[in-house]
Amino acid sequence: MVSRALTVCLAASLLTVAAGEPAVAAEIPTGARSLQSVNTPGSYVRHSNYLGSVAAVGSGSSAQAKSDATFTVTPGLAGGTGCVSFQAANGMWLRHRDFRVRLETNSGSTTFLADATFCVRDGSVAGSVRLESSNFPGRYLRHRNSELWLDPSTTNPGTFAADSSYQVTAPWTAGRRSPVIKGLYGDPNIAYLNGRYYLYPTTDGYSGWSSTRFKAFSSTDLLNWTDHGTILDLGPQISWSDSRAWAPTIAYRNGRYYFYFCADTNIGVATSTSPTGPFTDPLGRPLVAAGFRSGQMIDPHVFTDDDGEAYLYWGNGSAYGVRLNADMISFDAAQVRTFSLPNFREAPFAFKRNGVYYMSYSVDDTRSENYHVEYATATSPFGPWTHRGTILSKNLSLGVKGPGHHSVVKAPNSDTWHIAYHRFAIPAGDGMNREVTVDALRFNADGTIQPVVPTL
Ligand code: FUB
């Protein structure tokens, strides 16, 4: 499935436009796609021995050839309006290096992100596209002797335009259902607000988790997600920190949305009248400053109880909780509780079902494939917590590694629950190259939680 809003505007169409017909500005959804050369029909962009090429692919081609000619189109790793990146089935990305187009693992460096980002331009024939380098404007993804290069248009611009134009087609191999939001993201916070589901993640793919911006996505069906773009940018919008934008969460009270986020291992809060912002910082300082208590002051979650009281939970190394004041942007520091939660590492997430308070949390290190989620229950939002076990862990037969930093949401007017979490991007991700998915969360009759069955 493809998110309509995770789309990139292109002067191209998935449908072939007959010559002579007026060109219709169209959109190409992100997701699995193939790219057919316009001047060597039947030849597709593919990778072979980690180098980009153009080669014939047909219905009788091998499964490997079809897979090698299929890419997941994502928003450009380096950003930019109308810019995209191409991820192969093995998790590596098309990039140029020394102007040769090749397949490499995302190192997270600024250079890599730019080298792997191509901005979509009109192609030489109706419905086709050209892909211009984001960091070398004027150079295009072009085939030359069947090899893919990042070339400038020099002599014979007509030939060059044809060599660098592609029809975007349906993919040679089917894509997976997940990740539900295309691209690299971690720490998803899922919430149901004002008739829609929202996901607020950390943006991944940066070494040291050094992203500086937060994005939001929304959906009505948990499958098709609309990208609302950047909703908070630490650089211009937060005066007290410019780095390490991690693990946000959201709460609603009295007509306002409160967006809690990590910045440089402090917890801040920003408010808006919309779940997609614009958000502004009412405090001009962290809500929970680094050093306030032992461990890192990260990974906030706000749980609102049936009586309207809101509770802030957070922590890495130690788990903390406190009731927020009615303004949602302050609390009584003397009332902060430290919880005893076996194996707790980070990412506490609280919810309530049938009068039982659940505290779920991540165990181990997000860089470890053994990262997983355990939970405890209580009869009050402050515990004491009774440890109940593991609900989500790796599944190597599916390629699922490091699943964790989850959140939980209940479908409206139902007892249907879902869990959003990240895992190492499949197949070549790691603890800084993670992807987000959503699965069912099921309960036993006694209220205990069944182990999550990861779906791809
Ligand atoms: O995304 C950065 C950090 O990684 C989060 O704050 C932790 O929970 C871990 O997932």
Side-chain angles (χ1 to χ4, degrees):
M1 84 259 60
V2 196
S3 161
R4 256 195 322 150
L6 274 178
T7 57
V8 180
C9 288
L10 301 176
S13 168
L14 289 176
L15 303 171
T16 303
V17 178
E21 283 182 17
V24 178
E27 294 180 334
I28 287 188
T30 54
R33 301 284 168 239
S34 292
L35 293 173
Q36 183 177 201
S37 160
V38 300
N39 57 354
T40 53
S43 290
Y44 289 78
V45 170
R46 64 167 288 178
H47 59 90
S48 180
N49 294 325
Y50 304 103
L51 290 172
S53 60
V54 169
V57 182
S59 53
S61 296
S62 67
Q64 187 65 54
K66 290 177 180 173
S67 173
D68 291 348
T70 301
F71 295 89
T72 298
V73 181
T74 74
L77 290 176
T81 305
C83 301
V84 295
S85 294
F86 297 91
Q87 188 173 32
N90 63 6
M92 297 170 140
W93 300 81
L94 269 192
R95 71 163 297 184
H96 62 86
R97 182 155 57 79
D98 301 328
F99 302 121
R100 181 72 164 100
V101 176
R102 56 192 84 218
L103 204 65
E104 289 187 354
T105 299
N106 181 5
S107 67
S109 71
T110 305
T111 300
F112 183 93
L113 301 178
D115 288 351
T117 299
F118 302 90
C119 301
V120 181
R121 312 291 180 224
D122 286 346
S124 62
V125 299
S128 69
V129 299
R130 295 209 293 162
L131 295 157
E132 185 175 14
S133 164
S134 72
N135 52 354
F136 287 87
R139 284 182 177 259
Y140 292 82
L141 193 71
R142 176 254 182 121
H143 63 87
R144 182 167 25 110
N145 300 325
S146 298
E147 296 177 346
L148 277 181
W149 289 84
L150 194 73
D151 278 351
S153 178
T154 48
T155 56
N156 205 341
T159 303
F160 179 83
D163 286 349
S164 57
S165 293
Y166 308 92
Q167 298 281 3
V168 181
T169 73
W172 275 108
T173 55
R176 286 185 268 119
R177 179 193 74 93
S178 62
V180 295
I181 50 177
K182 303 303 174 197
L184 298 173
Y185 298 95
D187 312 325
N189 184 261
I190 195 166
Y192 188 79
L193 302 166
N194 203 20
R196 292 182 75 82
Y197 294 97
Y198 285 85
L199 271 175
Y200 300 91
T202 299
T203 305
D204 257 24
Y206 297 88
S207 54
W209 305 283
S210 55
S211 169
T212 58
R213 294 179 198 175
F214 292 103
K215 295 180 72 172
F217 301 82
S218 74
S219 172
T220 55
D221 59 10
L222 296 171
L223 294 174
N224 299 288
W225 290 88
T226 298
D227 184 346
H228 296 281
T230 299
I231 59 164
L232 186 72
D233 186 342
L234 296 183
Q237 289 176 262
I238 299 299
S239 61
W240 44 269
S241 173
D242 287 341
S243 69
R244 290 188 284 175
W246 297 352
T249 190
I250 196 146
Y252 172 82
R253 191 166 191 168
N254 296 333
R256 290 199 77 79
Y257 296 89
Y258 296 86
F259 184 72
Y260 303 83
F261 58 93
C262 307
D264 234 350
T265 69
N266 305 269
I267 294 172
V269 59
T271 78
S272 175
T273 54
S274 160
T276 54
F279 285 93
T280 54
D281 176 1
L283 295 175
R285 58 175 168 73
L287 172 63
V288 185
F292 172 72
R293 290 284 190 278
S294 69
Q296 292 187 56
M297 299 298 104
I298 62 170
D299 293 0
H301 175 236
V302 171
F303 160 71
T304 302
D305 208 344
D306 302 332
D307 61 4
E309 295 287 356
Y311 298 86
L312 172 67
Y313 302 95
W314 75 95
N316 169 296
S318 295
Y320 302 104
V322 70
R323 188 175 63 80
L324 285 167
N325 292 331
D327 63 9
M328 300 291 275
I329 59 170
S330 65
F331 58 83
D332 181 349
Q335 298 302 316
V336 171
R337 316 282 184 100
T338 305
F339 301 131
S340 172
L341 293 167
N343 310 321
F344 175 85
R345 170 63 65 93
E346 60 192 10
F349 188 96
F351 60 98
K352 189 178 184 183
R353 178 179 179 269
N354 293 343
V356 175
Y357 294 84
Y358 291 79
M359 175 60 71
S360 46
Y361 51 92
S362 294
V363 177
D364 210 314
D365 189 306
T366 193
R367 292 165 293 188
S368 163
E369 70 173 44
N370 297 320
Y371 195 57
H372 67 276
V373 177
E374 300 188 13
Y375 79 111
T377 59
T379 54
S380 101
F382 288 136
W385 301 102
T386 301
H387 187 237
R388 299 289 182 189
T390 296
I391 54 176
L392 175 65
S393 56
K394 69 181 178 184
N395 182 327
L396 296 183
S397 65
L398 292 176
V400 173
K401 296 177 182 174
H405 200 123
H406 68 299
S407 53
V408 170
V409 70
K410 184 169 89 73
N413 308 314
S414 75
D415 190 29
T416 300
W417 295 75
H418 301 278
I419 181 168
Y421 59 95
H422 71 229
R423 61 189 182 214
F424 291 7
I426 295 175
D430 55 27
M432 291 174 208
N433 290 277
R434 303 168 294 186
E435 61 187 16
V436 166
T437 193
V438 179
D439 275 317
L441 187 72
R442 297 190 175 89
F443 295 84
N444 296 308
D446 63 1
T448 54
I449 300 176
Q450 298 176 10
V452 173
V453 178
T455 55
L456 297 183

